[in-house]
Structure formats: structure tokens, C-alpha cells
Amino acid sequence: MAGKDSSRPLPDELSDLAALLSSQVRARVLAHVITHPDARFSLTELGRTLGLAVSSVQHECYKLEALGVLWSQREGSSRRYALQSESLVVEALTRLVVATVGVPLSVEMALRDLPGLDAATLLGVIPARAGGTALVLIGDLSLETVELAQHRIAWLLDVVDDAIEIAFFRPEEWLQRRDAGHPLVRRLLDLPVQLAFGDVREQ
């Protein structure tokens, strides 16, 4: 019996899937942009963030834009890219990234670069539901940063922003309330931990 012809071209849909998943650099770029759905970035900024050569991220971003995962717009002398968040492909890729790397690492990737954040822990139940899932943030944070954190985590968990209860404290405030047995802090710490980084129980 003749062997299968492995040189036969793939259907277009499978070629797109192979293009998405066949590169470690592409995987890193995808993981970053999917955990930062609000971000707009230049190739230089993305390369610096990921520790990759600009030529490498340029190649991947061009392909991802052609596949409808990213979109770009020229601003001044540079071109800035962003996630095509309304795309059904992007929605599916988001689920794939979260399932592959896990909720804890996805949450950490989404939050670790927020200015002023010292610690963050996702508590409660996954899949997230209103009243059952909380994100505790500790640091000197602006309200805008808190809302951005809530939006990123809701995006990753595929829920509306309000399904994620937000509690944020300055470090000294958190320690005082924790040590005093404040009812809100006690309730939060009774929830199961979906580890992110700087576990609030250890702060």
C-alpha cells in the first residue's frame, strides 16, 4: 500500500492553525498580547518586554496580523499593534492560552507589570462567578490601574468585569486589617487561593 503523501498542501484552515502554533517566539508573543488585551505596543517595546530581537517579533506580528489576531496602526514614525479582541479566533486562542499555561500563570502575566502593584492573588472559584471570585491587590495603585487589573482578569476568565470582586489595599492598610481580623479580610482569606504572585496570605 502506498504511503500517505505528506507533501500535499494543508487546507487553508489547518495552514493557519499550523502557522499560529509552530513557533516558540509566536507562543511568547501570543501569551503576552492575550494577557494584555488593552495594550498597544511597538515592535521595539514588545521586543524589549519579551527579551527578543525586534526582527523576531516583527516576523511574528506580521503573521499574526495577516491571520487577524493583531491589528496595527501607524502613529508618528512607528507602527503600533494591538489584539483584535473582537475576533472569534482570538477568543478561542485566549481559552487555549489559559488552558495551556494555567490560570495562576495567566493571571501573573496579566498583572505583574502594573505600576505600583506589590502582590495580587485570585481567590475563590474557577470558572469565575459573581460573588464567588475575588482579586486582591496590594500596593500603591491608582483607580485606573485597579480597573485595568479587573478587566484583564475578567477577559482571561471569559466573564464580565463585574463578576470579579476587587479588593485593593495599600500595604500598611492590608497588614493592619489582616492583623485586626477585619471581617472583609477574614472573608477573603477563607476563600480558596488560585495562586498568582506575592500571595496575600504571606504579606
Side-chain angles (χ1 to χ4, degrees), residues 53 70 93 101-102 164:
L70 299 179
L93 281 171
V101 307
I164 307 295

Side-chain angles (χ1 to χ4, degrees), residues 7 31 41-42 57-58 85 98 104 120 163 173-174 180 184 199 203:
S7 65
F41 53 87
S42 69
V57 297
Q58 181 182 51
S85 57
V98 174
E173 179 188 14
W174 169 258
L184 171 61
D199 186 349
Q203 297 300 307

Side-chain angles (χ1 to χ4, degrees), residues 53-199:
V54 172
S55 58
S56 295
V57 297
Q58 181 182 51
H59 176 74
E60 300 304 337
C61 286
Y62 283 177
K63 281 198 169 185
L64 291 172
E65 184 175 17
L67 291 164
V69 175
L70 299 179
W71 64 276
S72 70
Q73 182 176 3
R74 181 161 291 282
E75 296 182 5
S77 60
S78 67
R79 180 168 292 277
R80 303 190 75 79
Y81 291 81
L83 192 66
Q84 191 76 268
S85 57
E86 300 301 317
S87 164
L88 293 177
V89 172
V90 170
E91 290 182 18
L93 281 171
T94 301
R95 308 286 77 76
L96 177 64
V97 167
V98 174
T100 302
V101 307
V103 170
L105 182 56
S106 299
V107 169
E108 180 177 351
M109 291 178 67
L111 300 181
R112 64 187 173 196
D113 60 350
L114 292 177
L117 184 63
D118 296 328
T121 296
L122 189 66
L123 302 144
V125 295
I126 302 295
R129 66 169 186 263
T133 308
L135 179 65
V136 178
L137 306 172
I138 299 174
D140 291 311
L141 305 167
S142 68
L143 182 58
E144 181 181 38
T145 299
V146 171
E147 291 175 345
L148 179 57
Q150 182 184 36
H151 174 68
R152 287 183 179 178
I153 302 312
W155 162 261
L156 290 173
L157 300 183
D158 195 24
V159 295
V160 297
D161 290 6
D162 289 345
I164 307 295
E165 178 185 355
I166 290 287
F168 63 100
F169 306 87
R170 288 185 169 81
E172 63 278 6
E173 179 188 14
W174 169 258
L175 292 173
Q176 290 170 0
R177 293 194 179 195
R178 186 198 63 183
D179 294 345
H182 189 280
L184 171 61
V185 173
R186 279 208 316 269
R187 179 176 67 80
L188 290 170
L189 293 182
D190 282 341
L191 295 171
V193 174
Q194 308 290 335
L195 180 64
F197 64 95
D199 186 349

Side-chain angles (χ1 to χ4, degrees), residues 1-31:
M1 180 182 293
K4 292 182 179 179
D5 182 7
S6 60
S7 65
R8 186 174 57 187
L10 289 171
D12 288 343
E13 294 83 359
L14 293 183
S15 295
D16 287 350
L17 183 60
L20 282 169
L21 301 179
S22 63
S23 163
Q24 290 188 13
V25 173
R26 188 172 306 128
R28 292 180 63 186
V29 171
L30 273 174

